[in-house]
Amino acid sequence: MPTRGLAKEPPSEAGDAERRRAQVDAFVAEFVGSATWKATLAVLESAFPGLGMASTFSRRTEEVWRAIGGLDRGSAHRLGLPVWADGAGMVFDLSAHRRPGVAGRIARPRASRPYAGAYVIDTLDPLRYHRAVGGPQGPQDGPRPQVQALEEDDTGVVIVADLTTAGVRVLDSVALWRFAGRIVTATLHDPRRPDTRVRTRRALRALRRVVFVDPRLGLGVCLQIDAARTPRCLLAFAVDRTEQGAPRFVRA
């Protein structure tokens, strides 16, 4: 029977769910145990001292994978704010946590000495979160790293930041990636040195994974950008300062 001119059937919800599950599986498999993961553990160890996160995760990587839960009605309670899914992953509503006078404000950030394939930027308390404490081997004390060291083909960055300063009430994957770009640019670009403009662009093009850690909210969000330059927020976690234990991970 001729089919010319017939419209294609829209993708089924089951097919969309399967594709999203495959995307998340691939991201988590690549992320857990990566350089960006190790940098994240170092930051968590400093941001939430006394919980033994770095050593716990280093010993129980497989358990972390198995403990990651799906996005459902209980996820908002676990993460402490409204969260839902769209076509690019998770979306977060920070309405109840925004404070007047801080939107769009970024403190003077500093990049750490890079791990192999990852680095840390702290916008809240520079020099506090840039070194591993009781966790994986991290940056050593010393001068600010050369920007060239951050220009790899495939890099990740862990950013310590107040997510409510992103400038928008609802944070989706695009808004989160733009916020990361603003912070990376503010960190690496020096207007007094024209050569840093090109290097900053190279670092942004090489960026594949971003992890935000917001100590005030006790929230972390993990993003990747795919080959089509589409950012996706596929994993988030919450940390309860009053509990001894691992963060509660939620996947899109």
Side-chain angles (χ1 to χ4, degrees), residues 36-146:
T36 309
W37 169 261
K38 293 176 182 177
T40 301
L41 299 189
V43 169
L44 290 175
E45 189 76 13
S46 293
F48 305 97
L51 301 184
M53 292 188 189
S55 58
T56 297
F57 278 127
S58 297
R59 294 194 309 267
R60 297 176 7 195
T61 299
E62 291 300 322
E63 292 182 29
V64 171
W65 172 274
R66 291 193 295 269
I68 296 175
L71 185 60
D72 53 27
R73 286 182 176 273
S75 301
H77 177 71
R78 288 195 295 273
L79 295 177
L81 73 171
V83 55
W84 61 93
D86 67 3
M90 284 183 274
V91 183
F92 307 89
D93 186 347
L94 304 183
S95 300
H97 301 277
R98 299 184 80 196
R99 296 170 294 175
V102 299
R105 186 181 67 196
I106 300 178
R108 185 187 300 273
R110 174 191 166 103
S112 74
R113 282 185 177 274
Y115 296 72
Y119 55 105
V120 175
I121 295 177
D122 182 13
T123 70
L124 301 180
D125 187 7
L127 299 181
R128 177 180 178 186
Y129 299 115
H130 79 294
R131 61 170 65 85
V133 179
Q137 184 175 0
Q140 303 298 318
D141 291 343
R144 180 172 176 161
Q146 294 296 315

Side-chain angles (χ1 to χ4, degrees), residues 144-224:
R144 180 172 176 161
Q146 294 296 315
V147 178
Q148 295 97 316
L150 307 180
E151 297 170 14
E152 303 293 339
D153 293 334
D154 184 4
T155 61
V157 60
V158 182
I159 300 174
V160 183
D162 180 350
L163 289 173
T164 65
T165 65
V168 294
R169 177 179 59 84
V170 176
L171 282 173
D172 60 9
S173 299
V174 172
L176 285 164
W177 198 268
R178 286 175 177 168
F179 188 37
R182 286 168 50 204
I183 291 173
V184 171
T185 299
T187 304
L188 302 182
H189 179 225
D190 184 345
R192 298 167 298 182
R193 296 179 52 195
D195 59 306
T196 63
R197 181 183 297 275
V198 174
R199 293 172 178 170
T200 300
R201 288 176 178 171
R202 289 174 181 169
L204 289 170
R205 284 199 300 267
L207 198 58
R208 294 293 181 269
R209 287 169 297 279
V210 172
V211 177
F212 279 104
V213 176
D214 187 327
R216 185 175 71 89
L217 294 179
L219 178 69
V221 295
C222 310
L223 301 96
Q224 71 167 6

